[in-house]
Structures are given as structure tokens and as C-alpha cells.
Amino acid sequence: DSIRKSYTSSDELKSSLMMCMRDADQTLRLLLELNALPLALQISQIVGTVMSKTLRGGRAERIEYLLLHSFTALDYIVPDKQYGKRKQEHHAEEEADQDHQGAEI
């Protein structure tokens, strides 16, 4: 609603634009002070993923890639990742198999 209101006059629009510019400037200053881009680049290179995924904040995904690379470097065989519904169905099948085994005894 405040954005719509800012289009009522040129002064309001100018004020809204100045706030947006100030926010962008503060974000850039924080990014530079924290040295975030070089750190994100290092994380991407270590993990072996695209920098855009690192910048989006996929923390769990980065950890998963780190583990994957570490296990591969140690010559471990890493199982395929299972996603959402398929993983739940597999778990339900295992439980059903266990129930049937108990009934056979």
C-alpha cells in the first residue's frame, strides 16, 4: 500500500527511490565489509558447485557436496540420493516387509 501511495506525487516517488538506493548501498557496503563474494567463491570451488547456488544460501546442499567429495576422495561408494515421495514410499515398503516377516513366524 505504501508503494502505491508513493506514486501520488513526485516528491513521494523520489523519497521511495532514495530509500531503495540507500538500502542497496548499505547491502553492498555490508557485502564488501564481510568479504562475502571471495568467501562464496572459495566455498563454491571447494564444494564443486555453481556460485549461484552458494549465494542462494543452500547450506545443507553445500554440506552434502562437501561430504560427497570427501567420500569420493577416500574411494567410498556413495549411494544415490533419494528425493521426497520416493524416499517415503521406500520406507513404507520396508515397514510392510517387516510386518509380513513377523506374521510368517
Side-chain angles (χ1 to χ4, degrees):
D1 191 42
S2 63
I3 295 174
R4 197 176 292 179
K5 188 178 178 182
S6 68
Y7 284 96
T8 58
S9 71
S10 59
D11 288 334
E12 290 286 332
L13 184 59
K14 185 178 176 182
S15 174
S16 294
L17 287 173
M18 293 302 290
M19 283 192 288
C20 287
M21 295 286 288
R22 187 181 63 227
D23 288 347
D25 183 59
Q26 288 173 347
T27 304
L28 182 60
R29 288 177 190 269
L30 183 63
L31 185 76
L32 292 173
E33 188 169 328
L34 293 176
N35 216 11
L37 286 178
L39 292 174
L41 180 61
Q42 284 179 353
I43 290 171
S44 298
Q45 289 172 340
I46 291 169
V47 171
T49 186
V50 184
M51 191 166 170
S52 63
K53 286 186 178 183
T54 304
L55 291 174
R56 275 189 267 141
R59 181 177 172 188
E61 189 174 332
R62 288 194 306 263
I63 292 170
E64 184 178 340
Y65 276 117
L66 274 173
L67 290 171
L68 178 67
H69 286 292
S70 297
F71 286 145
T72 304
L74 295 171
D75 292 329
Y76 286 109
I77 298 173
V78 181
D80 291 335
K81 182 176 179 180
Q82 295 180 353
Y83 296 94
K85 193 174 185 179
R86 213 173 91 200
K87 186 176 183 179
Q88 291 172 353
E89 288 173 359
H90 181 70
H91 184 66
E93 288 174 9
E94 286 179 351
E95 286 181 355
D97 289 342
Q98 290 174 355
D99 289 342
H100 291 305
Q101 287 174 355
E104 290 174 5
I105 298 174

XYZ file of all heavy atoms in Angstrom:
836
model
N 0.831 -1.189 0.000
C 0.000 0.000 0.000
C 0.875 1.252 0.000
O 0.548 2.218 -0.641
C -0.941 -0.026 1.199
C -2.018 1.041 1.114
O -2.559 1.223 0.012
O -2.283 1.669 2.143
N 1.998 1.209 0.729
C 2.869 2.392 0.768
C 3.543 2.626 -0.580
O 3.831 3.772 -0.942
C 3.922 2.249 1.863
O 4.772 1.158 1.593
N 3.762 1.576 -1.347
C 4.354 1.740 -2.678
C 3.366 2.435 -3.598
O 3.731 3.342 -4.338
C 4.776 0.375 -3.258
C 5.901 -0.215 -2.414
C 5.218 0.505 -4.712
C 6.290 -1.615 -2.794
N 2.125 2.009 -3.532
C 1.080 2.642 -4.341
C 0.935 4.118 -3.962
O 0.750 4.978 -4.813
C -0.232 1.906 -4.115
C -1.265 2.199 -5.160
C -2.497 1.388 -4.948
N -2.187 -0.021 -5.208
C -3.054 -0.998 -5.084
N -4.280 -0.746 -4.676
N -2.730 -2.236 -5.340
N 1.059 4.395 -2.683
C 0.928 5.761 -2.193
C 2.083 6.641 -2.692
O 1.911 7.836 -2.906
C 0.906 5.744 -0.666
C 0.598 7.057 -0.019
C 0.568 6.894 1.487
C 0.311 8.215 2.177
N 0.325 8.047 3.639
N 3.259 6.014 -2.889
C 4.425 6.808 -3.311
C 4.273 7.353 -4.734
O 4.967 8.297 -5.109
C 5.705 5.983 -3.214
O 5.716 4.940 -4.162
N 3.359 6.805 -5.519
C 3.147 7.294 -6.879
C 2.167 8.462 -6.947
O 1.856 8.942 -8.029
C 2.644 6.165 -7.780
C 3.740 5.203 -8.178
C 3.943 4.023 -7.474
C 4.579 5.477 -9.249
C 4.955 3.147 -7.828
C 5.588 4.616 -9.609
C 5.764 3.440 -8.896
O 6.760 2.577 -9.243
N 1.708 8.930 -5.804
C 0.744 10.037 -5.812
C 1.397 11.376 -6.136
O 0.751 12.251 -6.687
C 0.021 10.141 -4.456
O 0.979 10.313 -3.418
C -0.823 8.906 -4.201
N 2.662 11.527 -5.779
C 3.346 12.779 -6.102
C 4.812 12.491 -6.414
O 5.359 11.446 -6.042
C 3.245 13.781 -4.942
O 4.053 13.350 -3.869
N 5.428 13.422 -7.088
C 6.836 13.226 -7.480
C 7.749 13.216 -6.244
O 8.752 12.501 -6.224
C 7.271 14.298 -8.471
O 7.124 15.580 -7.917
N 7.417 14.007 -5.222
C 8.237 14.018 -4.005
C 8.176 12.666 -3.282
O 9.193 12.178 -2.783
C 7.778 15.129 -3.051
C 8.146 16.509 -3.576
O 9.126 16.608 -4.353
O 7.446 17.479 -3.201
N 6.973 12.086 -3.216
C 6.823 10.770 -2.590
C 7.604 9.711 -3.367
O 8.277 8.860 -2.783
C 5.338 10.367 -2.531
C 4.508 11.158 -1.575
C 4.773 10.779 -0.134
O 5.153 9.621 0.133
O 4.601 11.651 0.732
N 7.540 9.763 -4.695
C 8.252 8.801 -5.527
C 9.760 8.956 -5.365
O 10.488 7.976 -5.242
C 7.846 8.978 -6.993
C 8.429 7.975 -7.975
C 8.024 6.557 -7.601
C 7.977 8.306 -9.382
N 10.213 10.202 -5.332
C 11.638 10.472 -5.149
C 12.106 9.953 -3.782
O 13.171 9.352 -3.670
C 11.903 11.976 -5.258
C 13.351 12.344 -5.193
C 13.546 13.841 -5.358
C 15.003 14.206 -5.204
N 15.211 15.648 -5.312
N 11.296 10.133 -2.761
C 11.632 9.650 -1.431
C 11.728 8.118 -1.410
O 12.657 7.544 -0.824
C 10.576 10.131 -0.434
O 10.798 9.571 0.825
N 10.783 7.439 -2.064
C 10.804 5.971 -2.122
C 12.035 5.465 -2.864
O 12.679 4.497 -2.445
C 9.550 5.445 -2.802
O 8.424 5.725 -2.033
N 12.363 6.132 -3.968
C 13.553 5.750 -4.734
C 14.830 5.959 -3.933
O 15.751 5.130 -3.995
C 13.622 6.529 -6.043
C 12.631 6.108 -7.118
C 12.672 7.060 -8.296
C 12.908 4.688 -7.569
N 14.886 7.018 -3.176
C 16.070 7.284 -2.352
C 16.231 6.215 -1.265
O 17.350 5.786 -0.967
C 15.999 8.683 -1.725
C 16.096 9.817 -2.736
S 17.597 9.764 -3.719
C 18.804 10.196 -2.496
N 15.101 5.768 -0.688
C 15.174 4.703 0.311
C 15.675 3.401 -0.323
O 16.488 2.689 0.260
C 13.810 4.488 0.973
C 13.476 5.543 2.008
S 12.046 5.107 3.014
C 10.719 5.310 1.852
N 15.201 3.097 -1.522
C 15.658 1.881 -2.215
C 17.149 1.964 -2.516
O 17.883 0.982 -2.353
C 14.881 1.686 -3.513
S 13.193 1.144 -3.276
N 17.595 3.128 -2.973
C 19.025 3.328 -3.276
C 19.863 3.201 -1.999
O 20.941 2.605 -2.020
C 19.246 4.694 -3.923
C 18.603 4.840 -5.284
S 19.483 3.957 -6.548
C 20.917 4.962 -6.712
N 19.361 3.754 -0.905
C 20.091 3.670 0.363
C 20.192 2.215 0.837
O 21.244 1.773 1.289
C 19.411 4.539 1.421
C 20.228 4.631 2.722
C 19.562 5.454 3.787
N 18.304 4.815 4.167
C 17.151 5.463 4.295
N 17.069 6.744 4.097
N 16.058 4.813 4.636
N 19.091 1.463 0.710
C 19.112 0.051 1.089
C 20.113 -0.737 0.249
O 20.864 -1.564 0.776
C 17.724 -0.571 0.948
C 16.756 -0.097 2.008
O 17.205 0.519 3.000
O 15.538 -0.343 1.840
N 20.122 -0.482 -1.057
C 21.058 -1.178 -1.938
C 22.501 -0.813 -1.590
O 23.390 -1.674 -1.572
C 20.762 -0.834 -3.393
N 22.739 0.461 -1.285
C 24.083 0.914 -0.913
C 24.546 0.257 0.394
O 25.680 -0.214 0.491
C 24.101 2.441 -0.770
C 25.480 2.966 -0.455
O 26.409 2.731 -1.262
O 25.638 3.594 0.621
N 23.653 0.186 1.369
C 24.007 -0.449 2.643
C 24.288 -1.940 2.467
O 25.214 -2.488 3.066
C 22.886 -0.239 3.667
C 22.789 1.174 4.160
C 21.577 1.406 5.050
O 20.665 0.578 5.115
N 21.560 2.549 5.731
N 23.511 -2.585 1.626
C 23.731 -4.007 1.354
C 25.083 -4.225 0.693
O 25.838 -5.139 1.066
C 22.611 -4.557 0.450
O 21.349 -4.323 1.065
C 22.788 -6.033 0.190
N 25.421 -3.398 -0.274
C 26.709 -3.514 -0.947
C 27.866 -3.248 0.010
O 28.866 -3.969 0.003
C 26.769 -2.538 -2.127
C 28.042 -2.583 -2.962
C 28.247 -3.966 -3.567
C 28.002 -1.523 -4.041
N 27.740 -2.249 0.862
C 28.794 -1.964 1.848
C 29.002 -3.141 2.809
O 30.127 -3.503 3.128
C 28.456 -0.704 2.647
C 28.602 0.566 1.858
C 28.171 1.769 2.706
N 28.072 2.959 1.914
C 29.068 3.820 1.730
N 30.237 3.605 2.288
N 28.888 4.881 0.982
N 27.901 -3.746 3.247
C 27.981 -4.901 4.129
C 28.649 -6.079 3.421
O 29.508 -6.758 3.995
C 26.582 -5.289 4.606
C 26.484 -6.434 5.589
C 27.193 -6.090 6.890
C 25.030 -6.768 5.852
N 28.290 -6.287 2.178
C 28.876 -7.354 1.372
C 30.383 -7.174 1.235
O 31.153 -8.124 1.392
C 28.211 -7.372 -0.003
C 28.582 -8.474 -0.950
C 27.897 -9.760 -0.524
C 28.169 -8.105 -2.360
N 30.800 -5.948 0.997
C 32.227 -5.658 0.860
C 32.968 -5.782 2.191
O 34.083 -6.296 2.253
C 32.428 -4.260 0.272
C 31.999 -4.087 -1.184
C 32.085 -2.619 -1.590
C 32.835 -4.962 -2.090
N 32.341 -5.314 3.266
C 32.992 -5.365 4.568
C 33.174 -6.805 5.062
O 34.183 -7.151 5.660
C 32.187 -4.569 5.597
C 32.913 -4.424 6.921
C 32.233 -3.421 7.832
O 31.640 -2.442 7.328
O 32.297 -3.641 9.048
N 32.197 -7.650 4.777
C 32.274 -9.046 5.203
C 33.112 -9.899 4.249
O 33.374 -11.065 4.540
C 30.871 -9.649 5.308
C 29.983 -9.090 6.395
C 28.599 -9.710 6.302
C 30.594 -9.346 7.763
N 33.512 -9.308 3.120
C 34.317 -10.035 2.136
C 33.554 -11.277 1.656
O 34.136 -12.351 1.493
C 35.669 -10.406 2.741
C 36.774 -10.335 1.745
O 36.594 -9.820 0.643
N 37.919 -10.860 2.115
N 32.257 -11.131 1.449
C 31.381 -12.268 1.181
C 31.601 -12.909 -0.184
O 31.531 -14.128 -0.307
C 29.926 -11.839 1.318
N 31.847 -12.123 -1.211
C 31.995 -12.710 -2.545
C 33.215 -13.625 -2.664
O 33.098 -14.737 -3.171
C 32.010 -11.626 -3.618
C 30.659 -10.986 -3.906
C 30.785 -9.888 -4.947
C 29.663 -12.026 -4.363
N 34.402 -13.206 -2.206
C 35.532 -14.137 -2.275
C 35.314 -15.401 -1.432
O 35.707 -16.499 -1.833
C 36.713 -13.326 -1.733
C 36.341 -11.914 -1.961
C 34.846 -11.867 -1.806
N 34.649 -15.249 -0.282
C 34.360 -16.425 0.544
C 33.373 -17.358 -0.145
O 33.544 -18.583 -0.116
C 33.821 -15.994 1.902
C 34.825 -15.284 2.812
C 34.125 -14.781 4.062
C 35.974 -16.198 3.169
N 32.355 -16.800 -0.782
C 31.386 -17.627 -1.515
C 32.063 -18.338 -2.678
O 31.768 -19.496 -2.968
C 30.234 -16.763 -2.019
N 32.992 -17.657 -3.339
C 33.740 -18.275 -4.432
C 34.581 -19.439 -3.916
O 34.613 -20.511 -4.522
C 34.622 -17.240 -5.123
C 35.455 -17.759 -6.289
C 34.567 -18.297 -7.390
C 36.362 -16.661 -6.804
N 35.243 -19.258 -2.787
C 36.041 -20.343 -2.206
C 35.160 -21.535 -1.838
O 35.527 -22.682 -2.109
C 36.780 -19.861 -0.960
C 37.973 -18.999 -1.259
C 38.664 -18.531 0.016
O 38.169 -18.743 1.123
N 39.811 -17.886 -0.141
N 34.030 -21.275 -1.222
C 33.111 -22.360 -0.862
C 32.666 -23.103 -2.112
O 32.655 -24.340 -2.150
C 31.893 -21.823 -0.078
C 32.318 -21.361 1.305
C 30.790 -22.878 0.030
C 31.243 -20.616 2.061
N 32.321 -22.360 -3.165
C 31.880 -22.982 -4.414
C 32.966 -23.851 -5.021
O 32.695 -24.946 -5.515
C 31.465 -21.917 -5.430
O 30.385 -21.183 -4.946
N 34.210 -23.373 -4.973
C 35.311 -24.144 -5.540
C 35.596 -25.395 -4.716
O 35.854 -26.465 -5.269
C 36.566 -23.285 -5.633
C 36.455 -22.225 -6.703
C 37.614 -21.245 -6.681
O 38.308 -21.117 -5.688
N 37.810 -20.555 -7.796
N 35.549 -25.285 -3.405
C 35.799 -26.439 -2.543
C 34.715 -27.488 -2.717
O 34.990 -28.677 -2.845
C 35.895 -26.005 -1.061
C 37.162 -25.195 -0.834
C 35.858 -27.210 -0.139
C 37.218 -24.508 0.514
N 33.481 -27.031 -2.725
C 32.344 -27.934 -2.801
C 32.153 -28.466 -4.216
O 31.688 -29.575 -4.417
C 31.070 -27.219 -2.307
C 29.847 -28.029 -2.555
C 31.197 -26.905 -0.835
N 32.534 -27.679 -5.215
C 32.369 -28.089 -6.594
C 30.988 -27.823 -7.135
O 30.443 -28.606 -7.900
N 30.415 -26.721 -6.733
C 29.079 -26.364 -7.204
C 29.127 -24.985 -7.862
O 30.143 -24.297 -7.815
C 28.062 -26.381 -6.046
O 26.757 -26.159 -6.578
C 28.347 -25.335 -5.014
N 28.035 -24.596 -8.444
C 27.935 -23.302 -9.102
C 27.789 -22.218 -8.038
O 27.135 -22.417 -7.018
C 26.706 -23.283 -10.034
C 26.622 -21.986 -10.816
C 26.750 -24.463 -10.985
N 28.403 -21.069 -8.278
C 28.397 -19.998 -7.274
C 26.987 -19.476 -6.994
O 26.688 -19.070 -5.874
C 29.306 -18.869 -7.707
C 29.556 -17.869 -6.617
S 30.921 -16.833 -7.056
C 30.827 -15.613 -5.800
N 26.117 -19.503 -7.988
C 24.751 -19.006 -7.767
C 24.027 -19.836 -6.704
O 23.261 -19.310 -5.917
C 23.958 -19.012 -9.067
O 23.822 -20.325 -9.561
N 24.290 -21.148 -6.658
C 23.669 -21.986 -5.625
C 24.217 -21.629 -4.253
O 23.494 -21.629 -3.269
C 23.919 -23.466 -5.912
C 23.094 -24.001 -7.042
C 23.279 -25.484 -7.168
C 22.411 -26.038 -8.271
N 22.526 -27.487 -8.371
N 25.510 -21.326 -4.187
C 26.113 -20.933 -2.916
C 25.529 -19.616 -2.434
O 25.216 -19.458 -1.258
C 27.643 -20.811 -3.060
O 28.159 -22.045 -3.554
C 28.296 -20.477 -1.745
N 25.354 -18.672 -3.343
C 24.829 -17.361 -2.970
C 23.360 -17.416 -2.574
O 22.892 -16.583 -1.807
C 25.020 -16.368 -4.118
C 26.466 -15.987 -4.402
C 26.546 -15.106 -5.645
C 27.110 -15.298 -3.216
N 22.617 -18.400 -3.080
C 21.215 -18.547 -2.687
C 21.069 -19.088 -1.278
O 19.986 -19.097 -0.718
C 20.476 -19.461 -3.662
C 19.977 -18.712 -4.869
C 19.084 -19.570 -5.708
N 19.905 -20.198 -6.730
C 19.782 -21.434 -7.157
N 18.841 -22.209 -6.675
N 20.568 -21.908 -8.083
N 22.152 -19.565 -0.699
C 22.114 -19.975 0.699
C 21.769 -21.431 0.926
O 21.226 -21.768 1.965
N 22.095 -22.298 -0.010
C 21.821 -23.719 0.160
C 22.832 -24.382 1.077
O 23.682 -25.130 0.643
N 22.743 -24.091 2.354
C 23.723 -24.577 3.322
C 23.760 -26.108 3.370
O 24.821 -26.717 3.330
C 23.393 -24.023 4.697
C 24.354 -24.444 5.768
C 23.983 -23.784 7.070
N 24.794 -24.319 8.143
C 24.598 -24.059 9.400
N 23.623 -23.260 9.756
N 25.365 -24.582 10.317
N 22.605 -26.735 3.451
C 22.552 -28.198 3.514
C 23.120 -28.806 2.245
O 23.823 -29.819 2.279
C 21.121 -28.663 3.736
N 22.831 -28.169 1.117
C 23.343 -28.665 -0.159
C 24.862 -28.554 -0.214
O 25.535 -29.465 -0.697
C 22.705 -27.876 -1.300
C 22.997 -28.445 -2.661
C 22.226 -27.729 -3.742
O 21.143 -27.211 -3.475
O 22.733 -27.696 -4.872
N 25.421 -27.465 0.314
C 26.884 -27.312 0.327
C 27.524 -28.391 1.186
O 28.535 -28.985 0.811
C 27.270 -25.926 0.851
C 26.974 -24.814 -0.108
C 27.671 -23.531 0.305
N 27.400 -23.118 1.655
C 26.485 -22.230 2.013
N 25.719 -21.680 1.109
N 26.320 -21.897 3.264
N 26.938 -28.648 2.336
C 27.475 -29.682 3.227
C 27.395 -31.040 2.537
O 28.327 -31.840 2.604
C 26.725 -29.684 4.572
C 27.039 -28.395 5.333
C 27.083 -30.911 5.396
C 26.197 -28.170 6.556
N 26.298 -31.279 1.854
C 26.140 -32.549 1.144
C 27.219 -32.710 0.071
O 27.806 -33.785 -0.075
C 24.748 -32.595 0.511
C 24.433 -33.901 -0.158
C 23.021 -33.917 -0.720
O 22.181 -33.118 -0.295
O 22.789 -34.770 -1.588
N 27.495 -31.641 -0.686
C 28.539 -31.707 -1.703
C 29.913 -31.924 -1.075
O 30.735 -32.674 -1.595
C 28.563 -30.436 -2.561
C 27.573 -30.440 -3.690
C 26.552 -29.506 -3.740
C 27.657 -31.374 -4.719
C 25.640 -29.510 -4.775
C 26.745 -31.387 -5.753
C 25.748 -30.444 -5.773
O 24.842 -30.445 -6.804
N 30.165 -31.251 0.047
C 31.448 -31.457 0.735
C 31.628 -32.913 1.149
O 32.692 -33.510 0.941
C 31.529 -30.559 1.980
C 32.022 -29.146 1.779
C 31.870 -28.352 3.070
C 33.463 -29.125 1.336
N 30.592 -33.482 1.724
C 30.659 -34.884 2.132
C 30.825 -35.796 0.927
O 31.612 -36.749 0.955
C 29.407 -35.265 2.919
C 29.282 -34.655 4.312
C 27.906 -34.945 4.889
C 30.367 -35.172 5.227
N 30.110 -35.505 -0.134
C 30.202 -36.312 -1.344
C 31.618 -36.311 -1.893
O 32.177 -37.364 -2.213
C 29.215 -35.781 -2.392
C 29.220 -36.478 -3.739
C 28.722 -37.913 -3.594
C 28.359 -35.727 -4.729
N 32.231 -35.138 -1.972
C 33.597 -35.047 -2.482
C 34.594 -35.723 -1.546
O 35.531 -36.383 -1.996
C 33.994 -33.589 -2.719
C 33.343 -32.996 -3.922
N 33.626 -33.394 -5.205
C 32.402 -32.033 -4.036
C 32.903 -32.709 -6.060
N 32.136 -31.869 -5.375
N 34.390 -35.568 -0.250
C 35.297 -36.196 0.712
C 35.211 -37.713 0.635
O 36.230 -38.405 0.622
C 34.975 -35.740 2.135
O 35.176 -34.363 2.260
N 33.999 -38.244 0.570
C 33.832 -39.693 0.481
C 34.390 -40.228 -0.835
O 34.999 -41.298 -0.869
C 32.366 -40.094 0.630
C 31.850 -39.994 2.035
C 30.553 -39.617 2.290
C 32.664 -40.283 3.115
C 30.069 -39.528 3.586
C 32.198 -40.199 4.421
C 30.901 -39.823 4.652
N 34.187 -39.492 -1.915
C 34.717 -39.916 -3.208
C 36.245 -39.915 -3.187
O 36.876 -40.827 -3.727
C 34.193 -39.001 -4.327
O 32.759 -39.011 -4.287
C 34.649 -39.462 -5.693
N 36.837 -38.902 -2.558
C 38.298 -38.842 -2.461
C 38.856 -40.013 -1.656
O 39.978 -40.469 -1.895
C 38.731 -37.520 -1.839
N 38.082 -40.539 -0.714
C 38.513 -41.673 0.108
C 38.114 -43.013 -0.515
O 38.229 -44.059 0.115
C 37.914 -41.559 1.511
C 38.396 -40.364 2.337
C 37.575 -40.239 3.610
C 39.874 -40.506 2.665
N 37.623 -42.981 -1.764
C 37.212 -44.177 -2.518
C 36.041 -44.922 -1.889
O 35.937 -46.141 -2.000
C 38.386 -45.137 -2.730
C 39.425 -44.550 -3.668
O 39.034 -43.779 -4.566
O 40.616 -44.863 -3.501
N 35.140 -44.192 -1.214
C 33.913 -44.799 -0.725
C 32.870 -44.769 -1.832
O 32.870 -43.879 -2.676
C 33.346 -44.039 0.483
C 34.113 -44.254 1.768
C 34.886 -43.246 2.313
C 34.043 -45.460 2.432
C 35.586 -43.435 3.490
C 34.730 -45.663 3.612
C 35.506 -44.653 4.128
O 36.184 -44.850 5.292
N 31.981 -45.722 -1.830
C 30.877 -45.723 -2.784
C 29.711 -45.013 -2.122
O 29.236 -45.425 -1.064
C 30.480 -47.155 -3.179
C 31.655 -47.836 -3.872
C 29.250 -47.136 -4.076
C 31.431 -49.295 -4.164
N 29.239 -43.961 -2.760
C 28.168 -43.140 -2.200
C 26.852 -43.557 -2.848
O 26.759 -43.621 -4.074
C 28.440 -41.642 -2.455
C 27.360 -40.780 -1.851
C 29.801 -41.257 -1.912
N 25.814 -43.856 -2.058
C 24.521 -44.252 -2.649
C 23.848 -43.068 -3.329
O 24.129 -41.907 -3.022
C 23.707 -44.725 -1.450
C 24.326 -44.043 -0.284
C 25.782 -43.859 -0.608
N 22.947 -43.378 -4.255
C 22.193 -42.329 -4.930
C 21.277 -41.637 -3.937
O 20.747 -42.258 -3.029
C 21.336 -42.915 -6.053
C 22.191 -43.431 -7.207
O 23.319 -42.931 -7.363
O 21.719 -44.322 -7.927
N 21.097 -40.347 -4.148
C 20.226 -39.574 -3.273
C 18.773 -39.877 -3.618
O 18.403 -39.973 -4.777
C 20.498 -38.079 -3.459
C 19.679 -37.202 -2.558
C 20.056 -35.751 -2.716
C 19.201 -34.892 -1.812
N 19.533 -33.491 -1.936
N 17.958 -40.044 -2.587
C 16.540 -40.277 -2.797
C 15.777 -39.014 -2.423
O 16.058 -38.395 -1.409
C 16.060 -41.442 -1.944
C 16.687 -42.747 -2.347
C 16.191 -43.895 -1.499
O 15.478 -43.702 -0.529
N 16.572 -45.089 -1.869
N 14.813 -38.658 -3.240
C 14.070 -37.426 -3.041
C 12.663 -37.701 -2.545
O 12.038 -38.687 -2.915
C 13.989 -36.639 -4.355
C 15.329 -36.177 -4.846
C 16.059 -36.926 -5.744
C 15.864 -34.986 -4.386
C 17.294 -36.506 -6.188
C 17.102 -34.552 -4.819
C 17.808 -35.314 -5.729
O 19.028 -34.892 -6.160
N 12.162 -36.834 -1.701
C 10.802 -36.738 -1.193
C 9.929 -37.971 -1.197
O 10.103 -38.874 -0.406
N 8.972 -38.023 -2.114
C 7.927 -39.028 -2.098
C 8.501 -40.426 -2.301
O 8.072 -41.381 -1.664
C 6.903 -38.709 -3.187
C 5.637 -39.489 -3.086
C 4.638 -38.995 -4.102
C 3.317 -39.694 -3.929
N 2.319 -39.230 -4.879
N 9.477 -40.558 -3.186
C 10.081 -41.859 -3.447
C 10.725 -42.422 -2.187
O 10.644 -43.604 -1.899
C 11.122 -41.716 -4.559
C 11.231 -42.931 -5.441
C 12.130 -42.674 -6.601
N 13.478 -43.059 -6.185
C 14.575 -42.654 -6.756
N 14.526 -41.820 -7.760
N 15.744 -43.059 -6.347
N 11.357 -41.555 -1.423
C 12.008 -41.966 -0.181
C 10.955 -42.439 0.823
O 11.134 -43.449 1.497
C 12.810 -40.798 0.385
C 13.649 -41.129 1.585
C 14.473 -39.926 2.000
C 15.375 -40.234 3.150
N 16.187 -39.096 3.547
N 9.846 -41.734 0.923
C 8.782 -42.108 1.853
C 8.148 -43.429 1.449
O 7.851 -44.269 2.281
C 7.723 -41.011 1.911
C 8.214 -39.742 2.564
C 7.218 -38.605 2.433
O 6.211 -38.727 1.750
N 7.504 -37.491 3.082
N 7.946 -43.638 0.137
C 7.366 -44.886 -0.341
C 8.284 -46.062 -0.020
O 7.842 -47.117 0.389
C 7.114 -44.809 -1.844
C 5.956 -43.915 -2.227
C 5.847 -43.738 -3.732
O 6.680 -44.303 -4.476
O 4.922 -43.041 -4.165
N 9.593 -45.865 -0.197
C 10.566 -46.909 0.080
C 10.532 -47.277 1.572
O 10.571 -48.444 1.923
C 11.965 -46.457 -0.341
C 13.035 -47.472 -0.110
N 13.118 -48.620 -0.850
C 14.041 -47.516 0.786
C 14.135 -49.343 -0.419
N 14.721 -48.688 0.570
N 10.436 -46.270 2.417
C 10.373 -46.501 3.869
C 9.105 -47.278 4.226
O 9.126 -48.188 5.052
C 10.435 -45.163 4.612
C 10.464 -45.305 6.109
N 11.519 -45.871 6.764
C 9.552 -44.967 7.057
C 11.262 -45.877 8.057
N 10.066 -45.331 8.265
N 7.992 -46.929 3.605
C 6.722 -47.618 3.867
C 6.806 -49.079 3.403
O 6.292 -49.981 4.068
C 5.573 -46.909 3.153
N 7.479 -49.337 2.271
C 7.653 -50.705 1.782
C 8.483 -51.531 2.760
O 8.178 -52.696 3.015
C 8.316 -50.703 0.406
C 7.421 -50.232 -0.713
C 8.177 -50.122 -2.024
O 9.345 -50.566 -2.088
O 7.597 -49.591 -2.983
N 9.544 -50.930 3.300
C 10.381 -51.637 4.269
C 9.573 -52.005 5.516
O 9.686 -53.115 6.029
C 11.587 -50.785 4.672
C 12.658 -50.702 3.615
C 13.813 -49.820 4.058
O 13.703 -49.140 5.112
O 14.835 -49.809 3.358
N 8.743 -51.097 5.983
C 7.913 -51.370 7.159
C 6.914 -52.484 6.865
O 6.679 -53.364 7.678
C 7.181 -50.109 7.604
C 8.063 -49.106 8.293
C 7.295 -47.870 8.734
O 6.082 -47.757 8.426
O 7.901 -47.016 9.389
N 6.339 -52.484 5.658
C 5.380 -53.519 5.270
C 6.081 -54.875 5.203
O 5.521 -55.890 5.639
C 4.741 -53.175 3.933
N 7.298 -54.894 4.678
C 8.066 -56.135 4.612
C 8.355 -56.671 6.012
O 8.249 -57.876 6.258
C 9.384 -55.935 3.854
C 9.168 -55.741 2.356
O 8.084 -56.100 1.867
O 10.103 -55.234 1.701
N 8.688 -55.788 6.924
C 8.953 -56.204 8.293
C 7.689 -56.747 8.954
O 7.735 -57.732 9.695
C 9.529 -55.037 9.120
C 10.923 -54.673 8.724
C 11.424 -53.428 9.457
O 10.680 -52.805 10.197
N 12.681 -53.077 9.221
N 6.544 -56.152 8.666
C 5.273 -56.628 9.219
C 4.959 -58.023 8.696
O 4.509 -58.886 9.446
C 4.135 -55.662 8.876
C 4.245 -54.343 9.641
O 4.969 -54.314 10.661
O 3.604 -53.370 9.223
N 5.181 -58.258 7.417
C 4.912 -59.560 6.821
C 5.844 -60.632 7.372
O 5.441 -61.759 7.584
C 5.025 -59.508 5.291
C 3.935 -58.723 4.644
N 2.597 -58.986 4.850
C 3.980 -57.672 3.788
C 1.865 -58.139 4.152
N 2.681 -57.326 3.511
N 7.083 -60.254 7.620
C 8.034 -61.212 8.158
C 7.609 -61.645 9.557
O 7.711 -62.808 9.917
C 9.452 -60.623 8.203
C 10.076 -60.505 6.825
C 11.408 -59.784 6.881
O 11.817 -59.302 7.930
N 12.084 -59.706 5.754
N 7.115 -60.724 10.340
C 6.667 -61.048 11.693
C 5.445 -61.941 11.660
O 5.257 -62.804 12.509
N 4.589 -61.778 10.662
C 3.362 -62.568 10.559
C 3.664 -64.001 10.134
O 2.934 -64.915 10.484
C 2.402 -61.910 9.564
N 4.745 -64.205 9.384
C 5.085 -65.538 8.904
C 5.590 -66.441 10.026
O 5.507 -67.651 9.937
C 6.143 -65.435 7.808
C 5.582 -64.822 6.541
C 6.666 -64.584 5.502
O 7.836 -64.988 5.738
O 6.358 -63.987 4.461
N 6.104 -65.889 11.074
C 6.674 -66.678 12.164
C 5.606 -67.299 12.929
O 4.912 -68.038 13.093
C 7.523 -65.816 13.131
C 8.670 -65.219 12.376
C 7.970 -66.628 14.306
C 9.480 -64.262 13.178
